[in-house]
Amino acid sequence: MTLEKASRVAEKVLAELRPFCLRAEIAGSIRRKKPFVKDVEIVAIRNLARAFQLSVYLNGLGFVKGKPIGKYCQRILPSGIKLDVFFAEPELWGNI
């Protein structure tokens, strides 16, 4: 998909994820501004007080692999676009 379309999708997902996270940002090929993008990648730091709600949100999407309590999970958005979510610890934010 085009960068423009991917950016719109990523911003929507990011807005939906942010209430459950201490920090969340767009990553991958969208962040690098590649002209064509295969998937949406988000890096996030979970808000442990909202971890259950985060799991409910992610598990409500089409399952591919991983659990919202792990370091990585992959889901399919209702539009059919693949979503990769990478979870970081606050002290390792810059590494991921």
Side-chain angles (χ1 to χ4, degrees), residues 4-66:
E4 183 180 316
K5 179 179 179 184
S7 294
R8 283 193 310 268
V9 171
E11 288 294 338
K12 182 177 185 289
V13 170
L14 194 59
E16 292 171 355
L17 279 176
R18 276 200 168 128
F20 314 122
C21 300
L22 297 175
R23 186 171 182 185
E25 300 295 337
I26 296 169
S29 52
I30 298 171
R31 183 185 58 80
R32 291 188 303 273
K33 306 248 186 260
K34 297 288 182 178
F36 293 97
V37 177
K38 294 187 295 182
D39 55 14
V40 170
E41 294 178 81
I42 304 285
V43 176
I45 298 172
R46 287 180 202 87
N47 179 345
L48 295 180
R50 308 278 325 263
F52 177 75
Q53 292 94 337
L54 174 64
S55 292
V56 169
Y57 171 78
L58 290 171
N59 287 334
L61 301 173
F63 180 83
V64 178
K65 62 183 165 183

